Amino acid sequence: MVSVAVNLQQVRARLERACADAQRCVQSVTLLAVSKTVEADRLREACAAGQFAFGENYVQEALDKIQALADLRAQLQWHLIGPLQSNKTREVAEHFDWVHAIDRLRIAERLSAQRPAGRPPLQVCLQVNISGEASKSGVLPAELASLARQVAGLPGLRLRGLMAIPQPSDEPEAQRLPYRALREMLEALRRDEGLDLDTLSIGMSADLEAAVAEGATLVRIGTAIFGSRPVAARSGPDREPTA
Ligand SMILES: *Cc1c(COP(=O)(O)O)cnc(C)c1O
């Protein structure tokens, strides 16, 4: 079994190199360790190596790990990066720190109403469908400004920025194009809507460098930290479990 600590060191080195190449400061990019299908004990190994922000895709699996790591809760940041259905919003509002894949007002309204009083606002990103037909999730670019305005006005939430999952490509230039488009959408929301947004949640194990070159402020890295996932969960980042 691969060592989480060694992998983390390698990912941090990649991130440093990518930031140097892009003439960006390495502190401007947050490393999110994507831990779907990974056992709580291996998340503990990551914590011991200084990694405290985790991204999960499936609500129930995440709640089990949040509970298993309750002793570390004050240091941990839990991000939901997978699609969210309305019957799961209450648990997410109660237990997570961030939600990345909001693409409908109704989900945001439920999270807003269900965020417990006294907790800091839930930090949220809107998922944008930047590959057109290729993906079913994400708000369409034409509807983004209107959704952003409405979500930004909801109490209990703080809209931080945009997230996307592009079509995979092995070509560095092809990897950069959709990320560049997303960055331009973020800049347009700041400029035209006056929204105070600071987060571009882009980049995975295979395209971290392209994402950093296009302004990623948060990269979501799974395989390069924890090794490859079981086949059923590997097929796509968007997939909901069938069970
Ligand atoms: C699984 C997943 C990742 C991590 O992908 P890797 O290729 O393993 O780094 C990132 N983002 C989302 C939304 C995911 O579902």
Side-chain angles (χ1 to χ4, degrees):
M1 188 164 283
V2 291
S3 155
V4 172
V6 168
N7 286 350
L8 263 172
Q9 225 165 28
Q10 284 168 359
V11 168
R12 289 186 189 125
R14 265 178 80 186
L15 201 51
E16 272 167 36
R17 224 167 15 244
C19 285
D21 287 347
Q23 300 188 300
R24 298 185 52 198
C25 151
V26 75
Q27 279 84 12
S28 66
V29 187
T30 297
L31 174 59
L32 184 67
V34 173
S35 45
K36 61 183 170 223
T37 77
V38 177
E39 301 285 336
D41 282 350
R42 310 201 70 219
L43 276 67
R44 269 188 203 280
E45 285 178 51
C47 295
Q51 177 66 36
F52 297 100
F54 294 101
E56 291 280 342
N57 287 61
Y58 313 118
V59 175
Q60 190 52 52
E61 181 193 329
L63 292 174
D64 293 344
K65 283 181 232 180
I66 293 171
Q67 172 123 56
L69 299 175
D71 54 310
L72 295 170
R73 184 67 186 90
Q75 293 164 73
L76 295 179
Q77 242 187 33
W78 291 102
H79 295 236
L80 183 70
I81 61 173
L84 175 55
Q85 291 156 354
S86 55
N87 60 355
K88 306 248 176 74
T89 53
R90 178 172 299 281
E91 283 157 315
V92 171
E94 288 176 357
H95 295 285
F96 281 81
D97 302 299
W98 281 70
V99 176
H100 288 239
I102 291 181
D103 61 3
R104 277 169 291 159
L105 181 61
R106 180 172 157 68
I107 296 287
E109 285 173 338
R110 290 178 63 93
L111 291 170
S112 166
Q114 293 166 343
R115 182 67 167 174
R119 292 289 303 278
L122 188 62
Q123 311 293 304
V124 302
C125 291
L126 303 181
Q127 182 178 356
V128 182
N129 181 346
I130 42 175
S131 304
E133 257 91 302
S135 159
K136 281 167 270 112
S137 40
V139 59
L140 293 172
E143 289 153 18
L144 174 61
S146 151
L147 181 63
R149 268 195 305 272
Q150 295 178 88
V151 172
L154 293 173
L157 305 186
R158 165 130 190 256
L159 179 61
R160 296 292 297 269
L162 303 179
M163 177 268 205
I165 308 170
Q167 285 277 85
S169 164
D170 296 331
E171 270 293 304
E173 250 323 294
Q175 289 175 349
R176 285 181 63 159
L177 283 176
Y179 289 152
R180 187 172 312 159
L182 194 74
R183 169 164 52 83
E184 285 164 2
M185 290 177 210
L186 186 80
E187 285 164 1
L189 289 176
R190 283 198 196 120
R191 186 183 59 234
D192 304 337
E193 308 294 332
L195 296 173
D196 177 21
L197 305 177
D198 62 7
T199 300
L200 260 186
S201 168
I202 51 175
M204 318 203 311
S205 294
D207 63 6
L208 175 165
E209 287 78 9
V212 167
E214 294 298 342
T217 66
L218 185 152
V219 291
R220 309 180 309 262
I221 309 297
T223 310
I225 295 175
F226 294 111
S228 32
R229 291 179 288 273
V231 175
R234 204 194 290 157
S235 48
D238 259 337
R239 227 41 75 84
E240 276 277 27
T242 43

